[in-house]
Amino acid sequence: TAMARTLVELFYDVVSPYSWLGFEVLCRYRQIWNIDLRFRPAFLGGIMQATGNKPPAMLPKRAEYMLKDVKRMAKYYQVPVQISEDDFQRIIGTSNLGAMRFITAIDMTQPQYLEPLSREFWIRFWSQHEDISQPENMLAVAGQAGLSSELSQKLLEMISSPAVKNRLKETTEEAIKYGAFGMPAVVAHLNGKPHLFFGSDRLELLGSVIGE
């Protein structure tokens, strides 16, 4: 009999470059591992606030290391993250809440677009260094991901709805309940128990724990 597939949840935010790395690597492993990969768009700001965590770039030595680290990982995993010192200010100056609500709205209505839409947001923010908080940019991202202009417009209207706001809030709270304090947060469900892995550099460990 076929082994039951292990549910692996990825809690992510497009403002996080490490989330993009984790997302792409898990998309690759999904082809060869016996897993059901579930994407869980959440709000990094909410997780930071609830857990008292601070962005790594707030600590100068850590920021210095992070620049090198992300560049090395981007090269190793072949993911086009472009990072420079200016990005730390850019992240602090950009509201990503609208983008995460937009992504949440697609998850609620047309989940088949969730993966390409999320990827396009990362590309727009981390490769092309564009502002993802502006409605016209969100619509452009949606177009790149293959959504019709009608659907894109509908999603834009949905981001201010209580249903979407609550869903994003609930997903964020769920991540915190699993023990998340940053992103990406990967949760594997084994024998009825959740196992949390933080970051994009623990995926081999995840594989080992789930028997891959």
Side-chain angles (χ1 to χ4, degrees), residues 1 4-6 9 16 21 32 45 50 78 82 87-88 102 105 119 121 131 136 141 149 166 182 185 193 200 206 209:
T1 55
R5 298 175 85 76
T6 304
E9 298 184 271
S16 154
L21 293 161
I32 49 173
Q78 304 282 293
Q82 305 285 341
D87 288 316
F88 297 138
F102 195 90
R119 182 175 287 116
F121 266 106
D131 185 354
E136 62 274 18
V141 168
S149 51
N166 290 338
K193 278 207 192 83
S200 52
L206 161 71
V209 168

Side-chain angles (χ1 to χ4, degrees), residues 23-198:
F23 171 91
E24 295 297 356
V25 177
L26 281 171
C27 283
R28 294 168 198 173
Y29 277 137
R30 181 177 55 182
Q31 312 299 325
I32 49 173
W33 284 357
N34 194 25
I35 59 172
D36 276 324
L37 181 57
R38 189 172 170 210
F39 298 121
R40 307 295 310 277
F43 182 50
L44 180 55
I47 291 179
M48 294 296 227
Q49 204 175 354
T51 59
N53 195 355
K54 293 195 170 36
M58 303 287 274
L59 189 67
K61 279 289 168 204
R62 201 170 165 197
E64 208 177 290
Y65 176 77
M66 188 182 164
L67 282 175
K68 293 182 192 138
D69 188 47
V70 171
K71 281 176 184 163
R72 283 192 290 227
M73 288 189 83
K75 190 176 173 200
Y76 179 74
Y77 287 120
Q78 304 282 293
V79 177
V81 184
Q82 305 285 341
I83 191 168
S84 71
E85 274 174 66
D86 305 342
D87 288 316
F88 297 138
Q89 280 312 114
R90 205 164 63 92
I91 294 169
I92 293 162
T94 300
S95 168
N96 55 311
L97 186 57
M100 291 317 297
R101 284 180 179 156
F102 195 90
I103 291 168
T104 298
I106 203 81
D107 189 24
M108 292 168 75
T109 54
Q110 307 268 342
Q112 72 273 23
Y113 285 114
L114 182 58
E115 183 186 328
L117 182 69
S118 301
R119 182 175 287 116
E120 287 300 335
F121 266 106
W122 272 303
I123 290 171
R124 174 75 44 143
F125 192 71
W126 282 106
S127 287
Q128 297 165 351
H129 289 188
E130 286 182 31
D131 185 354
I132 52 169
S133 64
Q134 301 306 313
E136 62 274 18
N137 285 351
M138 288 186 213
L139 292 174
V141 168
Q144 284 294 125
L147 278 70
S148 69
S149 51
E150 291 80 13
L151 178 56
S152 308
Q153 204 57 54
K154 193 181 136 213
L155 293 174
L156 200 55
E157 285 158 23
M158 282 179 74
I159 66 177
S160 51
S161 73
V164 168
K165 288 179 178 178
N166 290 338
R167 168 72 168 266
L168 182 59
K169 195 164 174 263
E170 281 160 19
T171 308
T172 305
E173 283 165 0
E174 214 175 310
I176 295 163
K177 197 178 78 208
Y178 284 133
F181 52 88
M183 290 210 174
V186 182
V187 179
H189 296 267
L190 277 180
N191 312 323
K193 278 207 192 83
H195 298 258
L196 173 75
F197 298 85
F198 170 66

